Amino acid sequence: MQAVLAWIMSSRWRAVLSVWMMGAVQWLGLLGGGLVALVGLRQGPREGLGVALLAAAGLIPVSLMVGASAWQISAAALSLWLPVLVMTWALHRSGSLARACQLAAIFAIGLVLMLHTAEDEVIRLGRAIIDQWLMPLFEERPQGPPSDQELDQMALRLPGMLATAFSLALILSLFLGRWWQAILYNPGGFRAEFHEFRHGQVAILLGGALFILSAVTNLAVLDNLALVAIMVMMLQGLAVCHAMVHRRGLSGFWLLPVYGLLLLFSVAAMSVLAALAILDNVIDFRARYAPAKQPPNGSDD
């Protein structure tokens, strides 16, 4: 992998070609976002922007070949790449991975609020998805399918799911870019950085407040905003788990149940990890139970 990444980073046009190839294949989109993040982190957001725009321009013929509008695939790619570049700029300025991830939450919150300005359209789209994928399951329930009002309320939770998926794609792209940067230029750096991941009191309090307001009011817009907040707070909970396992010399297999629960019971597991993040800001599990090993004589080696 290191040799491939070094080849990509050796020239702008190799980076453009690689990002273009990832953008042209839908299920490789996150890898393209990771490469854009890598360029932005290593060579600066301006160079990353140039690579992203050139790759997006190259996607216009792809859109036409598959029968999409001229800008459809390019716009979809840029909707991921441009926010990722803003996050790399924030990481450059603050030196904090958590601050960059909070930007992803801000983008997602903007998406939720924008979608809620057209609730009728959201309900229509949500009902279509429910009718296609969930209605057969509802019809098998002893109490029968939900009422129209209940289905409308379920459809109004669609913006939260879309925004959460969007913010997760942004964060994974940034993490890929940061990990690849560490592979090339700072081995082990991403692991150490993620193990210290911490949102801070203000961000955690805001996320916790959204969660409480959502539970008390049961408003769809607050439920959607709370889902985004839970996903981003969850990252600190994951960082605590990773740091505790690594610093106590345990096998990485101890993390498998965590990720297994995230796959099987995603929202519930995310909520538990978000709660762990809130507790970590009070107790500081890593400092108390698994402090980072200090190099001898204050050396950084």
Side-chain angles (χ1 to χ4, degrees), residues 10 23 25 29 72 79 104 108 112 114 124 126 142 159 170 173 179 215 226 242 247 264 280 291:
S10 62
V25 182
Q72 190 169 344
S79 69
V112 167
M114 181 183 70
R124 186 193 65 77
L170 295 178
S173 295
W179 176 45
H242 276 264
R247 292 174 185 175
L264 294 174
D280 183 54

Side-chain angles (χ1 to χ4, degrees), residues 22 27-36 173 176 180:
M22 301 302 176
W27 57 274
L28 293 179
L30 280 179
L31 297 181
L35 288 176
V36 170
S173 295
L176 272 176
W180 289 338

Side-chain angles (χ1 to χ4, degrees), residues 145-272:
S147 65
D148 285 342
Q149 185 177 4
E150 290 173 325
L151 289 172
D152 287 348
Q153 287 300 311
M154 292 174 61
L156 279 174
R157 271 61 181 180
L158 179 65
M161 292 184 285
L162 292 175
T164 301
F166 176 57
S167 60
L168 183 60
L170 295 178
I171 289 168
L172 289 177
S173 295
L174 180 68
F175 279 13
L176 272 176
R178 195 64 160 174
W179 176 45
W180 289 338
Q181 184 185 26
I183 288 175
L184 283 173
Y185 312 109
N186 182 27
F190 176 72
R191 181 177 63 189
E193 187 175 28
F194 183 62
H195 286 180
E196 295 298 331
F197 188 102
R198 186 181 301 276
H199 283 299
Q201 296 286 354
V202 174
I204 288 293
L205 285 174
L206 288 174
L210 273 175
F211 181 75
I212 293 171
L213 286 172
S214 166
V216 171
T217 63
N218 199 33
L219 292 175
V221 64
L222 289 177
D223 288 348
N224 291 330
L225 293 176
L227 185 59
V228 173
I230 287 170
M231 197 283 295
V232 178
M233 288 195 300
M234 170 199 75
L235 297 173
Q236 183 172 331
L238 273 179
V240 170
C241 295
H242 276 264
M244 296 283 285
V245 166
H246 176 72
R247 292 174 185 175
R248 297 182 73 87
L250 301 174
S251 167
F253 285 106
W254 284 86
L255 294 169
L256 288 180
V258 176
Y259 286 96
L261 288 173
L262 279 174
L263 290 174
L264 294 174
F265 309 104
S266 55
V267 177
M270 284 166 55
S271 300
V272 171

Side-chain angles (χ1 to χ4, degrees), residues 48-81:
L49 178 62
V51 168
L53 291 178
L54 287 170
L59 289 175
I60 294 175
V62 177
S63 297
L64 297 174
M65 284 189 293
V66 298
S69 66
W71 294 95
Q72 190 169 344
I73 294 178
S74 299
L78 287 175
S79 69
L80 174 69
W81 298 343

